[in-house]
Amino acid sequence: MQSTLELLFQRLRTHHPSSADHCLRVAGLSRAIARRLSLTTQDRSTLFRAALLHDIGKIFVPIEILDFPGPLDAGQRRIVSRHSELGQNLLLDEAPALAQAIAPIVRAHHEWFDGSGYPDGLAQDRIPWLARILCVVDYYDAVTSTRGYRAGLSDGEAMGLIRSECGKKLDPHAVSALQAMPRSCGCRFRLGLS
């Protein structure tokens, strides 16, 4: 199963290196939050694997959209928003043993706590718990990362934004776990990937 995970991750790295780097950061922070939440060893492993491959569906998104130098228009957003479903389908087709645990999390990592997310409009407890954790971590890394058209937010700015979305887009328990994480250098979390 590990080699399948590595092969799939390498496909993402080959297609879009910055998405792969994002997934590595999200996986490291997800692992740290899983420890803080005292998740079982199995749930920790599942969350880490799902975080590492949560954007695998982006291999089906054209590079010119992934690297678009500004906010996306409605059509481009529609294409990008399919990546969670496409990722789930890829896992089910090419890695069924791995997919059993992580595919539902990959599919649901853009479901918002209030039901306004995608692809299924799930809300609150209908969203898998590990996907709610992944959603918060993914959100944090996305807003603190610099893009071609905007600077990343500082840790303090990001946490202010996350607090404002708590109970709306983001699960309050997962937000609390993120807030409790130790900071290093005042701006980024320590990410131990080992």
Side-chain angles (χ1 to χ4, degrees), residues 12-35:
L12 178 61
R13 179 166 294 294
T14 299
H15 181 70
H16 198 243
S18 63
S19 288
D21 291 343
H22 161 73
C23 287
L24 277 174
R25 292 189 303 269
V26 170
L29 184 52
S30 293
R31 176 175 276 166
I33 285 181
R35 282 193 298 265

Side-chain angles (χ1 to χ4, degrees), residues 92-111:
L92 291 169
D93 289 345
E94 297 188 22
L98 185 62
Q100 183 177 353
I102 72 168
I105 301 162
V106 168
R107 181 181 180 93
H109 78 274
H110 282 292
E111 298 287 0

Side-chain angles (χ1 to χ4, degrees), residues 143-175:
V143 300
T144 56
S145 296
T146 296
R147 303 287 167 90
Y149 58 95
R150 65 154 174 83
L153 299 179
S154 70
D155 176 68
E157 293 167 328
M159 292 310 297
L161 180 60
I162 285 169
R163 280 190 294 276
S164 75
E165 296 293 356
C166 185
K168 299 172 192 167
K169 291 181 178 181
L170 305 174
D171 178 277
H173 298 297
V175 169

